[in-house]
Amino acid sequence: MDFRIADTFTDSLANLTGEEQKAVKTTAFDLQVDPSRPGLSFHALDRAKDPRFCSVRVSKDLRLIVHKMPESLLLCFVDHHNKAYDWAERRKLEVHPTTGAAQIVEVRERVEERIVPRYVERPVLKPPLFGRFSDEDLLSFGVPPEWLEAVRQADEDSILVLAEHLPGEAADALLELAVGGTPRPKVPPEPVNPFDHPDAQRRFRIVSDVEELARALDYPWEKWTIFLHPAQRELVERRFKGPARVSGSAGTGKSIVAIHRAACLARTNPDARLLLTTFSDPLASALRGKLSCLIGKEPRVGERIEVDALETVARRLYERSLGPVEVASREEVRRRIEEAAAESPGLPYSLGFLASEWQEIVDAWGLDSWEAYRDVPRLGRKKQLPEKQRQTLWGVFDRVRRSLQESGAVTPAGLYRRLAERFAVESPPYDFVVVDEAQDVSVPQLRFLASLGGGRPDGLFFAGDLGQRIFQMPFSWKRLGVDIRGRSGTLRVNYRTSHQIRGKSDRLLGKEVADVDGNVEDRSDTVSVFNGPPPTIETFGTPEEEIKSVGRWLAARAAEGVRPEEIGVFVRSAAEVARASAAVEAAGLAPTVLDERVKRVRDRVSVGTMHLSKGLEFRSVAVMACDDEVLPSQERIEAITDETDLEEVYNTERHLLYVACTRARDHLSVTGVDPASEFLQDLDA
């Protein structure tokens, strides 16, 4: 007998308490091992439209809803008695007559005849969105036949609420149509098992043994490990002749694709060694945990995938290939720059400008001569220096270079550069490299990665979002031998963030984001698959008023059942962390301040800087202290020596707020003290 679990089951399991989840898992294990064992009584549901739905008793009040057929058993839903029965009575499992995919369909006559948006007031009747499509068109997108009439009546206000009642592939197709896209029909090329159809595989996962079931039930919020969207699966499994990149706005599953891509390459290349990497230790730790969840039953696959931050990988490879290394810190380099500049009295440049020119031009590109510095394209550095001024500056930078050489120290950029030179002439240690958060890869890091991936098919795979670039200046990938033109894909379906939060957050960015090489990411047709309350954006007269108000907002979320560990509060810098912690305490909750390890604590609200929010997800997020001289950072603005560089500072500060806001799934609050950040006007336009 095939034993399957549905995504509706993992969703409902996550809503139970820890003790309730333990009881459900025990029952699920018993069903998987022997569904006929004594004590596992299947109770028929007299009012269910689908007679194959049964309930299984978990405890005095908990009921597990299963769909039972002679050849299969499907875990569908779990909740307290009345809610579980109500769910089953409003649904049926059927095979779509056009696509051939198995679907759990909500029974149309059990839903209100007119679907009214919960979060949108509709003052006037708006034209239907799908009136021009035939029944055959809508059926080909996976719309159940009994929902055709409701779909035809849907307008731009009701479509999101309607989507909540439809199977996932139908909802995705309609949302894409609503924003002007053209979804592919869902008709399979040949008859297949209804559960093997790609659309069904995003909802139902066959579980072969108890160990696999245990992994699935231990990570109810990580359902991506079980249910991969077809658009994601296509990028995971596609073969590329050279470097490739997947992009998409926050919440579209780029990291999911990166992890699955690494696992897929390892499975299909049994003798290969792989690197899955990102730019920081906390994000690498998160990738490692999720990969372990995905391939926990495949130790030989896991042994061949190395997961670490890029700097950790580089140091290890350097010591292994080139010997011990002393890496000069940024502070030490800055001191050497200051000493070298002192030998040129009257130099008309600040220490801040000299340090950034060194880091972003001289050291990043490995310039070792006056000629190289004179001729380098100054992408990302908008100040165009006359040749005479460059000569003066080169005198300073050349002294810094010689000072470092004499001490035997190497900068982080120099470490990457030497490794790139090494692996240009000898075999690299990895056959495939997968990079997450690739938008924040630096020039020397990309040069190093290019030496690892070479020109091999599938050698390099990047996942990132230009709209979330918060650490690096823009530069040309193509110039460094990483040309992704014609080998890129964009994810457009947002599963993490509600329509209301995504819509507000997107106002911080343009509809298109382009890199230096002309690769354009179109963000205008991204869609969220679920609705939610609108974000609150407020300005207060004093920090104390803000603290009290945010405290009330946090207390309201907790009263609605949001657990403390599902809440995050973020601010621009460490200077505002105390303000955030005070708001958490005002709500009667306990805060935990995130450090570089970014480890959440059970029963505590996570508090930290916007930079540390990167890669995290919460049901509810409050972004505080968005004051005028806090965001954008006044310190960064005052450090600018060339006014034309101001645009780049503003861009990365916008990206930073966008990152923080898009950590929220269901609820978002953004606040500041008057005069507030100008970015709040964009959010609330």
Side-chain angles (χ1 to χ4, degrees), residues 205 212 215 263-264 266-268 291-305:
R205 167 69 180 269
E212 187 175 359
R215 288 199 309 277
C264 179
R267 290 174 181 134
T268 55
L291 180 68
S292 176
C293 172
L294 178 63
I295 61 171
K297 193 184 174 184
E298 305 169 88
R300 294 186 179 180
V301 171
E303 289 170 359
R304 293 184 289 109
I305 303 177

Short mmCIF file of all heavy atoms in Angstrom, two decimals, residues 205 212 215 263-264 266-268 291-305:
data_model
loop_
_atom_site.label_atom_id
_atom_site.label_comp_id
_atom_site.label_asym_id
_atom_site.label_seq_id
_atom_site.Cartn_x
_atom_site.Cartn_y
_atom_site.Cartn_z
N ARG A 205 3.25 13.63 -1.23
CA ARG A 205 4.56 12.98 -1.23
C ARG A 205 4.40 11.55 -0.74
O ARG A 205 3.85 11.31 0.33
CB ARG A 205 5.54 13.73 -0.32
CG ARG A 205 6.83 13.00 0.02
CD ARG A 205 7.76 12.87 -1.20
NE ARG A 205 8.98 12.16 -0.84
CZ ARG A 205 10.09 12.76 -0.42
NH1 ARG A 205 10.11 14.08 -0.30
NH2 ARG A 205 11.16 12.06 -0.12
N GLU A 212 11.75 8.18 6.83
CA GLU A 212 11.40 9.28 5.94
C GLU A 212 10.19 10.05 6.49
O GLU A 212 10.15 11.28 6.42
CB GLU A 212 11.09 8.74 4.54
CG GLU A 212 10.88 9.83 3.51
CD GLU A 212 10.71 9.28 2.11
OE1 GLU A 212 10.77 8.05 1.93
OE2 GLU A 212 10.50 10.09 1.19
N ARG A 215 11.34 12.40 9.33
CA ARG A 215 11.95 13.64 8.87
C ARG A 215 10.89 14.62 8.40
O ARG A 215 10.96 15.82 8.68
CB ARG A 215 12.93 13.35 7.73
CG ARG A 215 14.21 12.67 8.16
CD ARG A 215 15.29 12.86 7.11
NE ARG A 215 14.83 12.48 5.77
CZ ARG A 215 14.82 11.24 5.31
NH1 ARG A 215 15.22 10.25 6.08
NH2 ARG A 215 14.40 10.98 4.09
N ALA A 263 21.53 18.83 -4.05
CA ALA A 263 21.18 17.43 -3.82
C ALA A 263 20.99 16.69 -5.14
O ALA A 263 21.43 15.54 -5.29
CB ALA A 263 19.92 17.34 -2.97
N CYS A 264 20.35 17.33 -6.10
CA CYS A 264 20.11 16.70 -7.40
C CYS A 264 21.43 16.40 -8.12
O CYS A 264 21.62 15.31 -8.67
CB CYS A 264 19.24 17.61 -8.25
SG CYS A 264 18.88 16.98 -9.91
N ALA A 266 24.33 15.94 -6.77
CA ALA A 266 25.03 14.87 -6.04
C ALA A 266 24.44 13.51 -6.37
O ALA A 266 25.17 12.52 -6.50
CB ALA A 266 24.97 15.14 -4.55
N ARG A 267 23.14 13.44 -6.48
CA ARG A 267 22.49 12.15 -6.77
C ARG A 267 22.80 11.68 -8.19
O ARG A 267 22.99 10.48 -8.41
CB ARG A 267 20.99 12.28 -6.59
CG ARG A 267 20.54 12.46 -5.14
CD ARG A 267 19.05 12.72 -5.07
NE ARG A 267 18.57 12.92 -3.71
CZ ARG A 267 17.76 13.89 -3.33
NH1 ARG A 267 17.33 14.77 -4.24
NH2 ARG A 267 17.37 14.01 -2.08
N THR A 268 22.81 12.61 -9.14
CA THR A 268 23.01 12.22 -10.54
C THR A 268 24.48 12.11 -10.92
O THR A 268 24.78 11.65 -12.02
CB THR A 268 22.32 13.24 -11.47
OG1 THR A 268 22.78 14.56 -11.17
CG2 THR A 268 20.80 13.19 -11.29
N LEU A 291 19.56 21.22 4.27
CA LEU A 291 20.06 20.14 3.42
C LEU A 291 20.02 18.81 4.16
O LEU A 291 19.67 17.77 3.60
CB LEU A 291 21.49 20.44 2.95
CG LEU A 291 22.11 19.37 2.06
CD1 LEU A 291 21.42 19.32 0.70
CD2 LEU A 291 23.61 19.63 1.87
N SER A 292 20.37 18.85 5.44
CA SER A 292 20.32 17.63 6.25
C SER A 292 18.91 17.08 6.31
O SER A 292 18.69 15.87 6.25
CB SER A 292 20.84 17.93 7.66
OG SER A 292 20.71 16.81 8.50
N CYS A 293 17.93 17.99 6.44
CA CYS A 293 16.53 17.56 6.44
C CYS A 293 16.16 16.91 5.12
O CYS A 293 15.45 15.90 5.09
CB CYS A 293 15.64 18.76 6.71
SG CYS A 293 13.87 18.46 6.53
N LEU A 294 16.67 17.45 4.03
CA LEU A 294 16.31 16.96 2.70
C LEU A 294 16.93 15.61 2.40
O LEU A 294 16.29 14.74 1.81
CB LEU A 294 16.76 17.98 1.65
CG LEU A 294 16.50 17.61 0.19
CD1 LEU A 294 15.00 17.48 -0.07
CD2 LEU A 294 17.10 18.66 -0.74
N ILE A 295 18.19 15.40 2.78
CA ILE A 295 18.90 14.17 2.39
C ILE A 295 19.28 13.33 3.60
O ILE A 295 20.25 12.56 3.53
CB ILE A 295 20.16 14.51 1.57
CG1 ILE A 295 21.13 15.37 2.40
CG2 ILE A 295 19.79 15.22 0.28
CD1 ILE A 295 22.47 15.56 1.74
N GLY A 296 18.51 13.47 4.67
CA GLY A 296 18.86 12.76 5.90
C GLY A 296 19.00 11.26 5.74
O GLY A 296 19.75 10.61 6.47
N LYS A 297 18.29 10.69 4.79
CA LYS A 297 18.33 9.23 4.58
C LYS A 297 19.41 8.83 3.57
O LYS A 297 19.54 7.65 3.24
CB LYS A 297 16.96 8.76 4.11
CG LYS A 297 16.75 7.26 4.16
CD LYS A 297 15.40 6.89 3.57
CE LYS A 297 15.26 5.37 3.49
NZ LYS A 297 13.98 4.99 2.82
N GLU A 298 20.16 9.79 3.07
CA GLU A 298 21.15 9.52 2.03
C GLU A 298 22.54 9.98 2.49
O GLU A 298 23.09 10.96 1.99
CB GLU A 298 20.77 10.25 0.74
CG GLU A 298 19.37 9.92 0.24
CD GLU A 298 18.93 10.85 -0.88
OE1 GLU A 298 19.23 10.52 -2.05
OE2 GLU A 298 18.31 11.89 -0.58
N PRO A 299 23.13 9.29 3.46
CA PRO A 299 24.42 9.75 4.01
C PRO A 299 25.52 9.84 2.97
O PRO A 299 26.39 10.73 3.05
CB PRO A 299 24.73 8.69 5.08
CG PRO A 299 23.90 7.50 4.70
CD PRO A 299 22.67 8.04 4.08
N ARG A 300 25.53 8.97 1.98
CA ARG A 300 26.59 9.02 0.97
C ARG A 300 26.47 10.27 0.10
O ARG A 300 27.48 10.78 -0.40
CB ARG A 300 26.55 7.76 0.10
CG ARG A 300 26.91 6.50 0.88
CD ARG A 300 27.02 5.30 -0.03
NE ARG A 300 27.39 4.10 0.72
CZ ARG A 300 27.57 2.90 0.17
NH1 ARG A 300 27.38 2.74 -1.14
NH2 ARG A 300 27.92 1.86 0.92
N VAL A 301 25.25 10.75 -0.08
CA VAL A 301 25.06 12.01 -0.80
C VAL A 301 25.56 13.16 0.06
O VAL A 301 26.29 14.04 -0.40
CB VAL A 301 23.58 12.21 -1.17
CG1 VAL A 301 23.34 13.62 -1.73
CG2 VAL A 301 23.14 11.17 -2.19
N GLY A 302 25.19 13.16 1.33
CA GLY A 302 25.60 14.22 2.22
C GLY A 302 27.10 14.30 2.40
O GLY A 302 27.66 15.40 2.56
N GLU A 303 27.78 13.18 2.37
CA GLU A 303 29.24 13.16 2.54
C GLU A 303 29.96 13.91 1.43
O GLU A 303 31.08 14.38 1.61
CB GLU A 303 29.74 11.72 2.59
CG GLU A 303 29.36 10.97 3.86
CD GLU A 303 29.67 9.49 3.76
OE1 GLU A 303 30.16 9.07 2.68
OE2 GLU A 303 29.42 8.76 4.73
N ARG A 304 29.32 14.03 0.29
CA ARG A 304 29.99 14.65 -0.87
C ARG A 304 29.58 16.10 -1.09
O ARG A 304 30.03 16.72 -2.05
CB ARG A 304 29.70 13.83 -2.13
CG ARG A 304 30.33 12.44 -2.09
CD ARG A 304 30.12 11.67 -3.39
NE ARG A 304 28.74 11.24 -3.56
CZ ARG A 304 27.90 11.75 -4.45
NH1 ARG A 304 28.29 12.74 -5.25
NH2 ARG A 304 26.66 11.31 -4.57
N ILE A 305 28.71 16.63 -0.21
CA ILE A 305 28.30 18.04 -0.32
C ILE A 305 28.88 18.80 0.86
O ILE A 305 28.52 18.55 2.01
CB ILE A 305 26.78 18.18 -0.35
CG1 ILE A 305 26.17 17.37 -1.50
CG2 ILE A 305 26.40 19.65 -0.50
CD1 ILE A 305 24.66 17.42 -1.55
#
